[in-house]
Amino acid sequence: MKHADILIIGSGIAALQLASHLSNDKHVIIITKSKLNDSNSYLAQGGVAAVVHPNDDLLSHVHDTLVAGEFHQGESTVYEFIKDGKRAIEDLIKAGAPFDRDEMENSSLVWKGLMNIIASFMPEETQRVSI
């Protein structure tokens, strides 16, 4: 039987990020329901909501996210996550997560939205990474 200091149940991006931060000091085991690439994070076609453009606005992101989730989320939690979105994107890029690139090799900004135009970074669809 293997020993683990930390047992993480789930293999989505949040679990993998947590494991990558803990693995230097602790023996971490991740349990997944099926295969590593069968997580919602791996299969997601969405992006990361973040205010990254001068014409972009935090409250528009919050509103569109609440509408998309049919207001089942806590508004203050959505606000805090989106407010931290740009830093999260920068951390993922530093960790080597692949994102679509434009012709200048900058991370591609994709415009999406329900009622307002919002910006999100899209994970590169042709590449998958294990952390």
Side-chain angles (χ1 to χ4, degrees), residues 48-92:
V48 179
V51 178
V52 297
H53 190 274
N55 294 334
D56 205 0
D57 141 304
L58 177 61
L59 295 180
S60 292
H61 278 281
V62 171
H63 176 74
D64 285 350
T65 300
L66 291 169
V67 169
E70 298 182 357
F71 295 89
H72 292 288
Q73 327 85 310
E75 186 172 349
S76 62
T77 302
V78 169
Y79 179 90
E80 290 301 320
F81 271 106
I82 294 172
K83 186 173 89 172
D84 195 40
K86 185 175 182 180
R87 186 209 50 82
I89 291 167
E90 291 166 353
D91 287 351
L92 287 168

Side-chain angles (χ1 to χ4, degrees), residues 78-130:
V78 169
Y79 179 90
E80 290 301 320
F81 271 106
I82 294 172
K83 186 173 89 172
D84 195 40
K86 185 175 182 180
R87 186 209 50 82
I89 291 167
E90 291 166 353
D91 287 351
L92 287 168
I93 290 170
K94 283 179 192 172
F99 284 87
D100 288 337
R101 303 278 177 184
D102 64 17
E103 61 278 352
M104 302 298 287
E105 289 301 310
N106 297 310
S107 292
S108 180
L109 190 62
V110 177
W111 297 100
K112 312 179 66 157
L114 298 169
M115 297 177 195
N116 303 299
I117 295 176
I118 63 172
S120 65
F121 278 84
M122 300 294 287
E124 192 172 306
E125 292 186 39
T126 58
Q127 245 180 343
R128 302 296 184 186
V129 171
S130 295

